[in-house]
Amino acid sequence: MAIKVSIVKLFEKSGKVGPQPNLLKMLQVEFLGMNFNEFVPLFMDLTMSVIITQTPIQCATVNNIIKFAANSASILSENTTKDGRSGLYLISEFLKLFRKYGSAKDKAIRWRFCLFINHLLNHMSGRTVLSVDICEVATLLLLERLRDKKSEIRAQAARSLHLLQTPDNPNCRIVKQFMLHMTCDSSVEVRSTVVKEIAMFNNVVDEMLKNSIYDVSDNVRKEAYNRFLNYPFFRLSSKQRQTILEKGL
């Protein structure tokens, strides 16, 4: 009971201050000292109770706790419980929940699952190697949300998906979907998010120069030019350089 109370208090504290290192460290200590089947149900219940809560999408307290839970899961993936179970299984359990609730009618729930995965992947260290199965399931779930009817959810899915792109594969299915939304999505937020996050293959560069720098939105055009600021100039053809300079001026 004392352990349960201490973990609940960590979640409550994170709602006010976010995933501070000391809170993450204390949760890690709890994880190392418990059996997997003791820790996981409690951790999952606390996280899910926040994800399904009836509050606005931009509720700072809820989003702080989700970030804390996601960052914790990424840290715990490198550790094992007292009975020798890897924290990677915790990520698998969350993906099962995502598969079950990721298409919920409540848009806040769908958005928060994307937010959770975004923070989870962003906080992964270079030492963590996710299995092919975990990456595949996460990709499929997020691609489904990239087609969501709500633009804020499509944008959040894009922020998560960019971390699952394969930057050495020009035929990456995520990149292909990104190119579609970069040029055809009705939402400025989605188009600008994709322009900011998409891997810069040759066909992507061509598409940006044909569409994104002519976008009706200042935000989308700005993101496109920001990408070209960091793109190797020598890879561009003389015509492409001319286009960037003429449109930029």
Side-chain angles (χ1 to χ4, degrees):
M1 180 60 72
I3 293 176
K4 178 178 179 180
V5 171
S6 65
I7 293 178
V8 169
K9 286 184 176 179
L10 289 176
F11 269 75
E12 291 176 345
K13 181 69 173 178
S14 72
K16 300 176 182 177
V17 299
Q20 291 188 350
N22 61 318
L23 298 184
L24 296 170
K25 182 64 177 179
M26 285 188 279
L27 187 70
Q28 183 182 28
V29 171
E30 298 286 4
F31 178 78
L32 294 172
M34 296 175 67
N35 290 327
F36 190 83
N37 291 333
E38 295 172 339
F39 179 88
V40 170
L42 176 58
F43 185 86
M44 301 284 285
D45 286 347
L46 289 170
T47 305
M48 279 301 298
S49 67
V50 174
I51 288 177
I52 66 174
T53 189
Q54 295 295 309
T55 56
I57 282 179
Q58 297 301 337
C59 176
T61 299
V62 169
N63 293 343
N64 280 343
I65 295 175
I66 290 173
K67 186 174 182 179
F68 169 74
N71 289 9
S72 297
S74 68
I75 291 173
L76 299 181
S77 67
E78 302 175 17
N79 295 270
T80 56
T81 52
K82 187 170 64 174
D83 54 348
R85 295 285 300 278
S86 170
L88 281 171
Y89 288 108
L90 181 60
I91 296 176
S92 297
E93 292 301 315
F94 269 110
L95 291 179
K96 289 178 184 177
L97 282 179
F98 194 177
R99 181 179 290 172
K100 183 176 181 181
Y101 295 103
S103 300
K105 290 183 179 180
D106 188 337
K107 70 175 183 179
I109 295 176
R110 304 197 304 275
W111 186 86
R112 286 168 183 156
F113 270 114
C114 294
L115 179 68
F116 179 93
I117 293 182
N118 186 22
H119 286 309
L120 173 71
L121 296 175
N122 265 306
H123 203 262
M124 285 287 180
S125 74
R127 299 186 300 273
T128 303
V129 179
L130 296 178
S131 70
V132 173
D133 289 341
I134 287 179
C135 291
E136 175 68 13
V137 172
T139 297
L140 291 175
L141 292 171
L142 289 168
L143 283 174
E144 184 178 353
R145 295 280 60 81
L146 189 62
R147 298 189 294 270
D148 200 281
K149 60 184 179 181
K150 297 294 184 180
S151 61
E152 59 264 52
I153 297 173
R154 298 198 301 275
Q156 190 60 254
R159 294 185 188 101
S160 303
L161 275 168
H162 95 276
L163 297 162
L164 293 167
Q165 293 177 101
T166 49
D168 57 347
N169 178 15
N171 295 314
C172 172
R173 56 187 163 169
I174 296 174
V175 174
K176 288 183 177 180
Q177 289 301 309
F178 272 2
M179 287 182 67
L180 176 65
H181 287 274
M182 183 174 72
T183 56
C184 301
D185 201 287
S186 60
S187 166
V188 170
E189 182 185 9
V190 174
R191 296 199 306 276
S192 60
T193 298
V194 171
V195 169
K196 182 179 180 180
E197 306 292 5
I198 191 170
M200 296 288 277
F201 294 111
N202 290 337
N203 57 338
V204 174
V205 170
D206 289 339
E207 203 64 41
M208 279 191 184
L209 291 173
K210 289 177 183 177
N211 291 282
S212 300
I213 64 172
Y214 297 96
D215 198 280
V216 296
S217 167
D218 291 343
N219 290 337
V220 176
R221 297 197 301 273
K222 180 180 179 180
E223 289 296 349
Y225 281 108
N226 283 340
R227 294 305 303 274
F228 286 121
L229 283 175
N230 298 311
Y231 188 77
F233 207 58
F234 68 87
R235 293 185 184 177
L236 299 169
S237 68
S238 57
K239 184 177 181 180
Q240 288 175 327
R241 297 174 192 176
Q242 181 178 352
T243 299
I244 294 172
L245 289 173
E246 288 179 351
K247 288 299 298 179
L249 295 173

